[in-house]
Amino acid sequence: MGSQFQWLTAIHIFIFQHIPHLIAGQSVSSLPYTSVTGVIGEGVILPCHVGAEHIPEIFSVQWIFNEQSKKRTVSRYDGKNKKEIQDERYQGRTEFFHREFRAGNMSLHLKNVKNSDKGSYTCVVSFDNQYHDVLIELEVAARGDVPSIFLKSHVKQGISLTCHTEGWFPEPQVIWLDGQGQTRKELSATKITMMPAGLYSVVASMNLEPGSDMEVSCRVVNNLLNTMSESRVLISDVFFPSISKWLVVFLVILCLSMVLISTTFCKLRSHHKKTVKLVKVKMAMEEEKEKLKSMLEKEKDKNKTAKAENRKRLARYQVELAG
Ligand SMILES: *[C@@H]1O[C@H](CO)[C@@H](O)[C@H](O)[C@H]1NC(C)=O
């Protein structure tokens, strides 16, 4: 801000050195455009300096806000009756530097700057049938609150971080930094929305992968004011989802169950083989049994025939004995 004023003063000096050439008639115009930045809620000085040899007692100064359709008199001072009037929109918010009038300083102190104050203003000073006017552009800006960082959720193996801050004007810039103050490589997204008060609210998000730099800071920059607000967090490994551990557990379980399945399968196979063997043995025994049975049968038949023969022989002997 200080340098801005120095710059403005330098320009004014330049202009006033050339005023003798500019005075061609009744009206004297200085710079067509000078810009000042006011911080919302704070005060700002709208500069206006008249470089005349001396300012008479009877003069008037008027600050006009150039709205699209009409010109609104913000404040007016009349040297004749030493009265100062204000527009209702600026009620209690403007002040001239009365003691500085004689030195040509017609600047206006605007207090408690509002978003609606943004725009172009003209300072018109008149005395001795001369008009001096200065055009000023008032920019408004706001530095929002300190950003808050949230660990939002787990994504894949990392953590989703969000940075939230509000009360900025104009739209701020969000930068994620690492522990060394370098811009982070991770992809990030920024959502900026305008709040009812005309200020911006910012939500930025980023995914932190395990193994990357754990020091994260969210910096919000207002390029118009050249200021920033920053928050920093250091994330412990504990916060990362331990999917890898579970994966190990899962793999171990998988291996164990595969071993179990394969041994069961082998056992079943060997059991099956044994059964087949037993069946074969049983069949062989059955065959043996059949053979033995038939042999026994044959033996019986043989016995029968032998018995019959013996009986015949016996009968013959009896006949022979009797005869
Ligand atoms: C006018 O006076 C005020 C108060 O002393 C000072 O802050 C400001 O810089 C002066 N402006 C100019 C243009 O001289």
Side-chain angles (χ1 to χ4, degrees), residues 5 12 45 47-49 97 100 105 107:
F5 272 111
H12 277 111
I45 292 170
C48 176
H49 195 274
F97 300 103
E100 305 268 339
N105 183 343
S107 304

Side-chain angles (χ1 to χ4, degrees), residues 57-283:
E57 191 97 17
I58 309 297
F59 77 98
S60 79
V61 53
Q62 187 176 188
W63 274 92
I64 297 160
F65 181 48
N66 306 306
E67 286 178 301
Q68 273 123 342
S69 50
K70 63 165 191 162
K71 292 184 184 297
R72 180 192 290 265
T73 302
V74 174
S75 190
R76 183 189 153 87
Y77 176 80
D78 197 340
K80 209 189 279 179
N81 48 29
K82 299 197 164 38
K83 264 195 174 166
E84 194 178 320
I85 54 154
Q86 259 168 351
D87 179 85
E88 53 179 25
R89 217 166 89 176
Y90 294 87
Q91 205 63 51
R93 293 201 292 133
T94 65
E95 209 170 61
F96 283 105
F97 300 103
H98 292 253
R99 277 196 276 163
E100 305 268 339
F101 282 152
R102 300 302 294 268
N105 183 343
M106 308 290 170
S107 304
L108 187 73
H109 185 193
L110 176 62
K111 298 173 226 173
N112 186 17
V113 172
K114 293 179 176 170
N115 209 6
S116 53
D117 293 341
K118 184 177 167 12
S120 94
Y121 292 79
T122 314
C123 162
V124 184
V125 182
S126 59
F127 53 87
D128 297 344
N129 280 334
Q130 278 183 16
Y131 290 95
H132 299 254
D133 57 70
V134 176
L135 193 66
I136 298 290
E137 187 73 29
L138 176 66
E139 293 278 0
V140 296
R143 184 187 147 160
D145 49 23
V146 174
S148 312
I149 301 176
F150 300 95
L151 303 189
K152 214 177 162 205
S153 58
H154 287 150
V155 268
K156 286 177 200 156
Q157 288 180 45
I159 299 172
S160 161
L161 295 175
T162 59
C163 173
H164 182 233
T165 175
E166 40 188 57
W168 295 84
F169 196 90
E171 288 194 19
Q173 196 191 346
V174 180
I175 311 163
W176 291 94
L177 303 167
D178 62 14
Q180 280 73 51
Q182 301 293 311
T183 307
R184 300 195 73 101
K185 306 272 188 296
E186 288 93 343
L187 281 178
S188 59
T190 305
K191 203 177 141 224
I192 299 178
T193 45
M194 185 174 262
M195 301 186 296
L199 302 178
Y200 291 104
S201 153
V202 181
V203 179
S205 54
M206 184 203 79
N207 288 344
L208 190 67
E209 297 288 328
S212 52
D213 189 55
M214 292 298 142
E215 204 173 325
V216 181
S217 62
C218 170
R219 179 183 287 176
V220 186
V221 185
N222 182 323
N223 287 317
L224 191 61
L225 286 178
N226 237 334
T227 55
M228 60 180 191
S229 216
E230 192 175 320
S231 282
R232 188 171 287 259
V233 283
L234 186 65
I235 292 156
S236 152
D237 286 328
V238 176
F239 291 100
F240 282 96
S242 45
I243 274 184
S244 47
K245 256 185 229 163
W246 286 112
L247 197 68
V248 168
V249 170
F250 172 73
L251 284 176
V252 166
I253 289 173
L254 191 75
C255 284
L256 281 179
S257 43
M258 268 168 72
V259 166
L260 205 74
I261 286 169
S262 57
T263 46
T264 316
F265 185 70
C266 286
K267 268 193 183 156
L268 277 175
R269 264 183 69 154
S270 63
H271 184 76
H272 177 72
K273 270 184 185 167
K274 267 185 194 160
T275 320
V276 167
K277 236 187 219 169
L278 278 176
V279 167
K280 272 184 186 165
V281 168
K282 206 181 165 191
M283 270 161 73

Side-chain angles (χ1 to χ4, degrees), residues 10-24 27-31 51 132:
I11 287 168
H12 277 111
I13 289 163
F14 172 79
I15 294 292
F16 300 136
Q17 278 170 349
H18 290 78
I19 269 175
H21 306 281
L22 292 169
I23 301 170
S27 173
V28 181
S29 290
S30 73
L31 261 190
H132 299 254

